[in-house]
Amino acid sequence: MSNDGDREQTLRTSTGVALDYNGDWLAKFDANAVPGSDYNGRLLAFINSQLGTSYDEINGAKYAYATAQSIDGALSFNELGTSTIVGG
């Protein structure tokens, strides 16, 4: 399984749904009542809530999230595979 596949499986395990990749993330955002109107805005809000931070740009937030959540030493969001996503 690729990193994307591992990341998606983590989402599916967490939410109990099996949609496409973006749909799995949107289900995660919905389960955590993450506000926002577009995908990147909701991802940024989700990361900030998970890390207890207030990043204002997505790339720095994704890097911080990957390094904080990685089980296998990911140094970027694209390297993040299986992770410790918490919440509904």
Side-chain angles (χ1 to χ4, degrees):
M1 196 176 282
S2 69
N3 289 348
D4 284 348
D6 289 342
R7 206 166 39 245
E8 187 170 23
Q9 187 57 51
T10 298
L11 289 166
R12 288 176 174 187
T13 299
S14 174
T15 62
V17 301
L19 306 168
D20 66 14
Y21 183 78
N22 288 338
D24 289 336
W25 273 108
L26 293 172
K28 185 66 178 173
F29 302 155
D30 290 345
N32 285 276
V34 175
S37 59
D38 68 359
Y39 178 86
N40 282 342
R42 292 185 81 191
L43 180 59
L44 181 61
F46 174 77
I47 291 171
N48 281 332
S49 71
Q50 291 286 296
L51 299 180
T53 58
S54 56
Y55 287 95
D56 60 3
E57 57 88 22
I58 193 72
N59 291 324
K62 286 168 73 175
Y63 171 79
Y65 183 75
T67 58
Q69 301 299 93
S70 177
I71 292 171
D72 52 9
L75 298 177
S76 73
F77 194 79
N78 288 341
E79 290 180 11
L80 183 63
T82 304
S83 57
T84 56
I85 299 173
V86 298

